[in-house]
Amino acid sequence: MNKVLAAIGVMVTLGIAECYAQLSPFDENAPVGWASIGKECTGSNNLNPVVVTNEDELRSALQGCKGGKASKTIYISGQFEVKEKLRYDGVKNCTIYGLPGSALYNRYHNDNADYAGFFFCQKWNNCIFRNLTLLGAGAYDISAADNMSFVTSTNIWVDHCDIQDGVDGNLDAKDDADNLTISWCKFAYYIAPWPNSESADHRCSSMWGSSNSRDEEGKLNATFANCWWHHGCGQRCPRIRWGSVHIANCLWENGTEEDPAQYCIGVGHGCDLYIENGDFTNTVVSDSHLKYYLTEKKVYNFTVTGCIGEPNRQEKGAGCTVDYYNPYNDNNYKCRVYDASLVASILKDPENGAGATLDEDLLATRGNEHYGEYTPTAIKGVKAADDAQVVGIRYYNLNGAQLTAPQKGVNIMEFQMSDGTTRTNKIYK
C-alpha cells in the first residue's frame, strides 16, 4: 500500500495525444455550470490519498473526513458490498474515485432506510465523485433510501457515474443543497420494482427539493450536462422544485412501448428550468402530454430550446412573476453545448460516453483553455496492490513536449514500470 500511495503523488496530464485521445472532445473534464459558480469545486486536491477495497476501509476513510477534519482522496478498487448507508456529516474537500471495474453494491431489500443506498451526504462542501458504479436493490419507495443524496451540501461535482436501481431514488438533493453539477452520468432501473403500501412502482430517478411547502428559494441550483436516463427510469429525470436548473445535452431512453415512462422532466413548484439541446426521440411516455410534467402549483417557468423530440417552448405558471431563466445571463456561468443531433451517439459511446467510462488515463487532468487554470484532482495508473518497479524515467514540460533533462520551473516525470504501465508525478526545479 505504501508503494501505491507514493506512486499517486500529485498527478497532472502530460498533454500528449495518447494521454487523453480517448476522452470525448465534448467532455470538459471539469465541473461545468453551477458547481463552479462563486467557488471552484476542487475536491481534495490529491491530499491524503487512500485506496479502499472493502466496506470497512471505505468507512474508515470517510470517518477521517467527518466534520471537515481532513481533506482526503479516496480510490475505490474492486467490487464490494455496502450493507449500511454511508453517512458521515460535514465532509469537506474530498474526492472519491471509482477505479476502472470497481462497483459498490447493496442488494439488501428491507423497510429500513439506514440499510438502503450508499452516500448520504449532509453538509458536504467542495466534494467530487467520479467514475463510481452504484448498484442498488431496486425501487421500493422508502424515504431517504437513495443511492446518493445531497442534503444541505454545496459545491458538489458528480461525474461519469453509473447509478442504478435506487430504492427511493438514484440521486436526490434537498434542504438548501446548492451549486451542484451532475455530468456524464447514466441512470437506470434494471430490477423490477418491489411494490409496497406506498407505491407499486417507484422507479423515480432524481428528485430536487423535498416539498412544495419548504421554501428553498435561491437554493438547489444545478446543472445536468450530458446525462443519460436509460432503461426503467419511470419519472423524475429529473423532477425539480425551487432551483434554477440547466439541463443540457441530455438523453432520455427511459421508456419503451412495453414499459412506458410516466414522464421525463418534472417541472415542480418554484423552479426555473432551461432545457437545452436534449434528445427525447427514443423514449415513450404513457400519457398524452409532452415529455415534461407540469406541477399543480403555479409558480414556475421553463424554456425548451434546441431539443429533438420536443418543440421549442416557453411557459410560465400564473403565479410566476420573474423573467424566464437563462443560465447564460450570468457571465460567470460556463457550459459548452453542442447540437442535439449528436447527443445519442456521444453519450452512448461505450469508450467515453456517459457512465463509468473513465480509465486511469482519462481520470488525468487535461488542460482546458475554457476554464483557465482549473486543474481537477487526477490519477493515472494506480492499482490497489502493486509490486512493479521503475525501469525508466522521461521528462516533459506542461505543454507535453519531451525534455532531455528537467528544466527550471514545473516538470512532469513519467515513470515506466516493469509491468508495462506508466505513472506521472509533478516536480519543481
Side-chain angles (χ1 to χ4, degrees):
M1 184 65 72
N2 289 336
K3 291 181 180 179
V4 173
L5 299 183
I8 292 174
V10 181
M11 307 296 182
V12 298
T13 186
L14 298 182
I16 54 180
E18 57 265 33
C19 283
Y20 58 81
Q22 296 181 67
L23 191 65
S24 170
F26 302 94
D27 190 341
E28 304 288 354
N29 200 25
V32 301
W34 272 106
S36 291
I37 294 292
K39 177 184 177 182
E40 292 287 355
C41 184
T42 56
S44 64
N45 278 320
N46 288 309
L47 295 175
N48 303 317
V50 59
V51 179
V52 300
T53 60
N54 57 54
E55 181 180 2
D56 288 342
E57 292 176 353
L58 178 55
R59 290 190 178 280
S60 178
L62 289 170
Q63 181 66 34
C65 303
K66 186 177 179 180
K69 289 184 290 188
S71 301
K72 188 161 291 188
T73 310
I74 300 171
Y75 304 104
I76 295 173
S77 177
Q79 301 182 11
F80 56 87
E81 184 177 21
V82 173
K83 296 180 180 179
E84 186 175 349
K85 189 187 305 298
L86 300 161
R87 178 168 182 166
Y88 298 89
D89 295 349
V91 173
K92 297 180 181 179
N93 308 325
C94 179
T95 297
I96 302 176
Y97 278 135
L99 293 176
S102 66
L104 303 181
Y105 61 90
N106 183 348
R107 301 302 200 189
Y108 185 53
H109 200 263
N110 66 92
D111 290 309
N112 188 336
D114 290 338
Y115 295 93
F118 301 93
F119 293 98
F120 186 88
C121 305
Q122 182 165 272
K123 298 182 179 179
W124 286 40
N125 175 258
N126 188 34
C127 294
I128 293 172
F129 302 78
R130 300 191 77 189
N131 215 52
L132 300 179
T133 296
L134 305 178
L135 308 176
Y140 192 58
D141 195 9
I142 305 174
S143 294
D146 307 303
N147 280 347
M148 299 185 79
S149 184
F150 296 101
V151 181
T152 325
S153 294
T154 56
N155 287 93
I156 304 294
W157 181 29
V158 182
D159 179 67
H160 276 286
C161 292
D162 192 330
I163 305 176
Q164 304 176 17
D165 293 300
V167 172
D168 183 43
N170 280 323
L171 187 155
D172 286 13
K174 64 179 184 178
D175 296 356
D176 295 334
D178 204 7
N179 293 88
L180 300 104
T181 292
I182 317 300
S183 59
W184 296 91
C185 288
K186 181 180 179 182
F187 304 97
Y189 278 90
Y190 298 120
I191 299 173
W194 300 71
N196 66 11
S197 60
E198 297 295 324
S199 172
D201 185 353
H202 195 76
R203 292 176 295 172
C204 304
S205 194
S206 291
M207 172 66 82
W208 239 238
S210 58
S211 171
N212 289 350
S213 61
R214 179 186 170 90
D215 189 341
E216 300 190 68
E217 183 73 29
K219 302 295 184 179
L220 292 168
N221 300 306
T223 300
F224 287 84
N226 299 287
C227 290
W228 179 11
W229 283 274
H230 194 229
H231 177 78
C233 294
Q235 55 176 289
R236 301 181 188 176
C237 305
R239 187 177 192 272
I240 307 297
R241 290 185 176 102
W242 299 109
S244 295
V245 175
H246 184 200
I247 302 174
N249 284 143
C250 291
L251 174 65
W252 290 267
E253 292 187 329
N254 50 319
T256 65
E257 294 290 348
E258 296 76 22
D259 185 19
Q262 293 173 269
Y263 63 85
C264 295
I265 300 171
V267 183
H269 178 62
C271 76
D272 312 310
L273 289 181
Y274 194 82
I275 305 162
E276 182 180 18
N277 290 27
D279 184 346
F280 293 90
T281 58
N282 293 316
T283 192
V284 178
V285 296
S286 58
D287 52 30
S288 60
H289 60 61
L290 299 175
K291 301 291 171 46
Y292 34 84
Y293 162 76
L294 302 182
T295 177
E296 71 281 2
K297 299 290 185 178
K298 299 297 185 183
V299 182
Y300 63 82
N301 75 85
F302 69 90
T303 297
V304 180
T305 181
C307 296
I308 54 176
E310 286 298 316
N312 290 349
R313 183 183 177 190
Q314 286 189 313
E315 181 173 321
K316 285 186 181 182
C320 182
T321 60
V322 301
D323 293 336
Y324 284 106
Y325 171 61
N326 186 327
Y328 304 111
N329 289 338
D330 183 343
N331 291 331
N332 294 314
Y333 190 92
K334 295 180 175 64
C335 183
R336 286 193 281 192
V337 178
Y338 49 88
D339 191 87
S341 63
L342 302 175
V343 166
S345 61
I346 291 169
L347 299 193
K348 294 169 70 172
D349 191 318
E351 296 297 324
N352 53 25
T357 58
L358 303 179
D359 61 24
E360 290 96 329
D361 287 341
L362 298 184
L363 285 172
T365 301
R366 180 176 69 168
N368 190 319
E369 69 284 356
H370 190 55
Y371 292 92
E373 298 300 318
Y374 175 76
T375 52
T377 302
I379 178 176
K380 182 182 178 187
V382 175
K383 294 180 173 58
D386 191 353
D387 294 322
Q389 304 297 312
V390 176
V391 295
I393 300 175
R394 296 191 183 103
Y395 298 94
Y396 298 85
N397 64 23
L398 290 179
N399 293 323
Q402 187 170 351
L403 307 171
T404 57
Q407 62 183 8
K408 186 176 181 179
V410 180
N411 296 264
I412 306 302
M413 297 178 66
E414 181 187 69
F415 299 91
Q416 291 84 52
M417 309 305 294
S418 58
D419 62 356
T421 64
T422 60
R423 301 172 183 171
T424 59
N425 203 351
K426 180 171 64 176
I427 63 170
Y428 298 86
K429 182 178 178 182

